[in-house]
Amino acid sequence: MTVIYEKTRGLQNTPLHYCPGCGHGIVHKLIGESLDELGLLDTAVGICPVGCAVFAGSYFSCDCIEAAHGRAPAVATGVKRTHPDQCVFTYQGDGDLASIGTAEIVHAAMRGEKFTTIFINNAIYGMTGGQMAPTTLVGQKATTAPDGRDPATAGWPIRMAEMLSTLEGLVYAHRVCVVDIPHLNEAKKAIKRAFQLQMAGAGFTFVEVLSPCPTNWGMEPLEANRWLMEHMAAYYPLGVIKDMGGEPG
Amino acid sequence: MRKREIWKGSEVIAEAAIRAGCRCFFGYPITPQNEIPEYMSLKMPQAGGVFVQAESELAAINMVYGAAASGMRAMTSSSSPGISLKQEGISYLVGAQLPAVIVNVMRGGPGLGSIQPSQGDYYQATRGGGNGDYRTLTLAPATLQEAADLMGEAFDIADTYRNPVMVLVDGLIGQMMEPIVWEDRPGRTLPTKVWAAQGRRGRDHNNFVTSLYMDPADCEQHNLALAEKYAAMEANECRWEELMTDDARLILVSFGTPARVAETAMRNLRQEGLKVGLLRPITLWPFPGRRLGELAGEDHVKGFLDVEMNLGQMLDDVKLAVNGSKPVQFYGRCGGAIPHVAEVQEAARRALEEVE
Ligand SMILES: Cc1ncc(C[n+]2csc(CCOP(=O)(O)OP(=O)(O)O)c2C)c(N)n1
Ligand code: SF4
Ligand SMILES: [Mg+2]
């Protein structure tokens, strides 16, 4: 019998708790596969966020640390500086990274910390039930923006990958999405490149993933994927935003 | 004979931490403790360790959390307003059962307050300070020698119980210079950190360091397990110093800088024939309440005078220990002011008159 497809060793056998059509589980799988294929599972340390992915440490089969809301980049700094040979990554939502933890992510990037951040941008606070995030699109409804985000009072959505790319310490920023197989393949390539550049000591690496939250967007999964491509990808352009990495040896 | 050396308080704390095997320091500047990060920025790399100037105290304590979670002896220091920001991380350290040492060189508050010495953070240190039902073992050295000796203990206690330890000094102890002797410390036999997230390296399961227990039954069990650790700390780690309490009619209770002032006041009053003693808590939590209660039960003890550099915070613990059996008076200066020997003597005379 030939094995055509098998579950990655990068994930444990715990059932995922994510909603149907959620992007989190897909990105977990891509990270697990990437760590396994790069031979990093045994030395990796993942820093988990506060948000729907708060249980990520029960899913990844590498060692994990649960951080306080937004502080994952500081926690990762503490791990990576004291264990420079290890693969360290943070996994963070948009409330976590682009709101409460803005200082931590900006300064980790500024210092050129040699870890990787996987940023799950679903334009909403998933875990707490659909409140407005800093990444919520103009006009997009949220439980704390019942008439849709109004720039007059809530400002404009923040493009983290572009903003962080202005910093010298960031060597790689790539925005991807997980709505279909070609985009999934692209996302996995980005995650692998980020890990490879990290292990080559190049600097801070950042992969932003546009990720559907059908539950809090109030959509069916396929409709959510279409909405993501039509609206989110229009405001948050997909592709490589910065790559100073060269050949990661 | 060992060499006596003149050292500055903050630098004693930093050097003692390195000697205790601490190999990473994360901090953010604030007066009056800047000499600690400054010393660390020079000496930690020379010792093969890591120094990071964080973007905030929030980040600094979370760097400590990461380093501790991956098995390192980690430390941060700050002064009062910065310690307020670190409370989030301290609560998470307790919840995730991580050892670390946090130094607070206290200044006047509330808010920005003053940059002069104070003990206004006693409640914050001994009552938990962050969210949740927890305790932080708190050491309060009164001399630089004691600070040098206690830093190693602080790391050992943290490792023994997998709980953060706070070293609480006022700005005077951080800033003063005093002769000390660097003693070799025996050190404890410590548990191996099998729980650390430092890469599986062949382990058959992954370690997940977390403070989250979604099921309330699990969270209750977790809290009860923490409570057992606090009980063990109360049983094994309580420290204090007693001077001339054997025949004392009035016992002064004081820690840190005012305990030094109180000791001088006590010696002066003894010369006048007044029977005054001193109990100086060295651990503020666990508080030496049982011993104070015993003393309160002695016939020769007529009362207590609590002396602090605040409006009377440890006073609550003294009153709880004495439990109404003898009068407890208070003398304090606050906002950065330091009590004078003459003031404490005067307060002690008044207290003695009232109880006689
Ligand atoms: C200090 C603190 N503030 C607020 C919360 C409540 N909280 C939990 S998750 C969350 C938002 C998470 O949203 P996001 O980071 O976008 O993750 P998602 O669930 O969308 O993946 C908030 C505000 C918290 N746990 N801690
Ligand atoms: S609420 Fe949204 S982000 Fe959270 S698991 Fe469900 S779909 Fe995913
Ligand atoms: Mg989100």
Side-chain angles (χ1 to χ4, degrees):
Chain A
M1 201 169 69
T2 41
V3 176
I4 298 178
Y5 179 84
E6 63 181 342
K7 194 182 134 286
T8 170
R9 295 194 311 138
L11 295 181
Q12 304 180 42
N13 286 323
T14 326
L16 301 181
H17 72 282
Y18 299 111
C19 309
C22 176
H24 275 301
I26 302 170
V27 183
H28 282 20
K29 176 182 103 117
L30 300 182
I31 292 173
E33 286 175 355
S34 302
L35 289 173
D36 190 21
E37 288 163 25
L38 295 171
L40 295 171
L41 266 181
D42 220 33
T43 54
V45 180
I47 319 296
C48 311
V50 175
C52 280
V54 72
F55 299 115
S58 307
Y59 304 144
F60 293 126
S61 50
C62 62
D63 276 4
C64 288
I65 300 169
E66 169 57 36
H69 197 18
R71 316 290 175 231
V75 175
T77 300
V79 179
K80 183 73 185 198
R81 289 287 188 112
T82 55
H83 298 80
D85 299 337
Q86 285 179 220
C87 175
V88 177
F89 66 95
T90 74
Y91 183 100
Q92 301 180 257
D94 39 16
D96 197 79
L97 181 141
S99 188
I100 196 167
T102 321
E104 284 77 10
I105 194 67
V106 167
H107 283 268
M110 181 205 82
R111 291 190 301 267
E113 295 293 344
K114 294 175 183 60
F115 64 80
T116 298
T117 289
I118 312 291
F119 170 41
I120 307 299
N121 180 356
N122 57 12
I124 202 85
Y125 281 29
M127 185 182 218
T128 39
Q131 296 81 10
M132 186 179 65
T135 44
T136 295
L137 296 180
V138 169
Q140 183 189 339
K141 286 192 174 155
T143 58
T144 49
D147 299 325
R149 182 179 186 156
D150 177 4
T153 51
W156 288 264
I158 187 166
R159 293 185 183 94
M160 287 307 294
E162 285 82 350
M163 196 179 101
L164 295 174
S165 291
T166 63
L167 299 166
E168 306 290 330
L170 181 148
V171 294
Y172 181 64
H174 194 159
R175 188 181 285 116
V176 296
C177 73
V178 287
V179 297
D180 54 30
I181 298 298
H183 284 103
L184 237 89
N185 291 338
E186 177 75 7
K188 184 165 164 188
K189 258 180 26 205
I191 291 168
K192 274 181 117 164
R193 176 152 177 82
F195 285 154
Q196 284 172 316
L197 288 172
Q198 173 191 164
M199 295 318 286
F204 180 66
T205 48
F206 187 82
V207 178
E208 176 170 340
V209 186
L210 303 185
S211 173
C213 173
T215 301
N216 286 302
W217 293 356
M219 296 175 196
E220 295 294 323
L222 288 178
E223 187 191 354
N225 282 350
R226 278 195 297 274
W227 187 86
L228 186 150
M229 288 310 287
E230 206 171 304
H231 297 278
M232 280 188 82
Y235 188 84
Y236 300 111
L238 298 171
V240 175
I241 289 141
K242 183 175 178 182
D243 191 344
M244 312 284 287
E247 274 304 308
Chain B
M1 213 183 80
R2 296 283 178 107
K3 205 167 73 183
R4 277 160 69 86
E5 300 173 11
I6 302 275
W7 279 75
K8 186 171 189 174
S10 288
E11 294 178 350
V12 166
I13 288 169
E15 173 64 22
I18 294 174
R19 287 176 187 239
C22 172
R23 286 295 174 272
C24 50
F25 178 91
F26 308 94
Y28 185 82
I30 183 169
T31 309
Q33 62 82 59
N34 290 319
E35 295 84 352
I36 300 179
E38 284 165 1
Y39 190 91
M40 288 298 197
S41 70
L42 179 69
K43 300 286 183 165
M44 195 53 104
Q46 289 174 6
V50 170
F51 167 85
V52 179
Q53 179 168 328
E55 61 271 30
S56 69
E57 289 86 352
L58 269 173
I61 192 71
N62 282 288
M63 290 174 188
V64 166
Y65 178 95
S70 61
M72 299 293 293
R73 279 207 150 169
M75 166 183 173
T76 185
S77 69
S78 189
S79 177
S80 310
I83 294 293
S84 292
L85 284 183
K86 290 190 202 287
Q87 292 300 337
E88 174 191 81
I90 296 171
S91 170
Y92 278 73
L93 285 165
V94 174
Q97 304 202 65
L98 295 176
V101 173
I102 300 111
V103 177
N104 181 2
V105 184
M106 288 179 284
R107 60 189 243 182
L112 265 184
S114 73
I115 58 169
Q116 309 306 326
S118 161
Q119 295 181 326
D121 306 342
Y122 179 93
Y123 281 152
Q124 190 191 48
T126 59
R127 265 60 180 168
N131 65 296
D133 202 354
Y134 73 91
R135 298 292 189 175
T136 308
L137 190 136
T138 304
L139 294 164
T143 65
L144 300 200
Q145 183 66 56
E146 195 173 36
D149 298 341
L150 284 179
M151 281 307 291
E153 281 295 295
F155 282 102
D156 278 5
I157 293 169
D159 281 343
T160 302
Y161 299 96
R162 290 178 59 188
N163 201 69
V165 169
M166 183 170 283
V167 176
L168 191 73
V169 297
D170 56 75
L172 195 81
I173 292 175
Q175 292 299 310
M176 73 192 296
M177 295 184 82
E178 217 166 46
I180 63 156
V181 176
W182 289 108
E183 304 278 7
D184 288 332
R185 217 177 46 89
R188 305 187 184 195
T189 314
L190 298 170
T192 42
K193 300 181 174 180
V194 289
W195 43 265
Q198 46 191 204
R200 285 172 57 171
R201 303 184 183 282
R203 206 187 318 112
D204 65 359
H205 62 279
N206 83 323
N207 280 347
F208 183 23
V209 176
T210 181
S211 62
L212 180 67
Y213 294 82
M214 278 299 263
D215 183 334
D218 293 343
C219 198
E220 183 175 45
Q221 283 312 309
H222 173 57
N223 271 274
L224 293 174
L226 296 181
E228 277 178 29
K229 298 200 300 184
Y230 307 141
M233 287 183 232
E234 290 194 89
N236 306 326
E237 306 298 345
C238 191
R239 293 164 193 240
W240 67 93
E241 183 189 33
E242 263 177 63
L243 295 172
M244 301 189 191
T245 52
D246 288 353
D247 62 344
R249 301 181 75 74
L250 178 74
I251 295 182
L252 309 178
V253 188
S254 191
F255 71 98
T257 291
R260 301 169 65 123
V261 178
E263 184 180 335
T264 308
M266 176 197 77
R267 294 193 190 282
N268 291 346
L269 293 166
R270 282 267 169 183
Q271 301 239 304
E272 295 175 22
L274 297 175
K275 289 188 173 162
V276 179
L278 171 70
L279 187 143
R280 177 175 70 86
I282 298 171
T283 50
L284 302 181
W285 194 91
F287 184 74
R290 194 182 313 141
R291 179 60 190 147
L292 264 179
E294 284 168 13
L295 287 169
E298 300 280 352
D299 284 343
H300 62 83
V301 176
K302 302 299 177 198
F304 296 86
L305 173 66
D306 175 76
V307 183
E308 299 181 64
M309 289 181 351
N310 56 40
L311 292 173
Q313 299 189 15
M314 183 171 71
L315 181 61
D316 288 0
D317 288 327
V318 176
K319 284 183 173 169
L320 278 170
V322 172
N323 200 17
S325 66
K326 298 282 162 71
V328 178
Q329 318 275 353
F330 172 70
Y331 182 74
R333 297 292 303 273
C334 54
I338 300 165
H340 291 271
V341 174
E343 294 166 13
V344 175
Q345 281 173 210
E346 198 39 47
R349 271 199 207 92
R350 272 201 311 274
L352 269 170
E353 273 163 27
E354 271 182 45
V355 298
E356 295 289 356

